[in-house]
Amino acid sequence: PFAIFELPDGAEQVLDVPDDWSLMEAARRDGLDGIVADCGGGAICGTCHVQVDASWHARLEPPGMAEEALLEVVPERCATSRLSCQVIMTPALDGIRVRVPSSQL
Ligand code: FES
């Protein structure tokens, strides 16, 4: 499966994301700018924030309490914001599209 990351300058990067990997893990593997992931996936740093394309957002599992609390305080939160460390690839999410907020750079 793959995910499309749209960067703040409009460029797109297509990342291979194995099933059961988080989007954050694939972004770190490939050194994607803007996904720092300071906490390593613990849903406590907020530096893996992405804005999910609306049509894909509806297919995600709802955020847990820790993610929901952190999303309250990340810059540039929008209605489809998620922590990319909490978005786990499944066959149903093949091709998911997300945007990296400019505040992440
Ligand atoms: Fe820290 Fe996702 S990596 S919240």
Side-chain angles (χ1 to χ4, degrees):
F2 68 97
I4 302 169
F5 282 73
E6 186 182 319
L7 303 176
D9 65 1
E12 290 183 354
Q13 235 173 292
V14 180
L15 270 58
D16 176 59
V17 186
D19 284 334
D20 300 323
W21 280 41
S22 71
L23 298 189
M24 176 279 278
E25 290 174 300
R28 292 308 309 140
R29 179 202 60 208
D30 289 2
L32 191 82
D33 285 342
I35 304 295
V36 175
D38 273 331
C39 78
I44 55 175
C45 73
T47 62
C48 67
H49 171 209
V50 293
Q51 299 165 337
V52 181
D53 181 87
S55 62
W56 289 98
H57 183 260
R59 303 184 209 183
L60 301 180
E61 297 290 326
M65 279 175 48
E67 180 179 5
E68 190 57 59
L70 195 49
L71 287 171
E72 296 288 333
V73 298
V74 295
E76 294 187 69
R77 186 197 181 165
C78 72
T80 65
S81 284
R82 293 298 302 261
L83 300 178
S84 61
C85 68
Q86 304 300 307
V87 178
I88 307 301
M89 179 56 81
T90 66
L93 296 182
D94 190 14
I96 186 172
R97 173 180 285 271
V98 303
R99 184 177 325 104
V100 177
S102 55
S103 55
Q104 301 274 121
L105 296 181

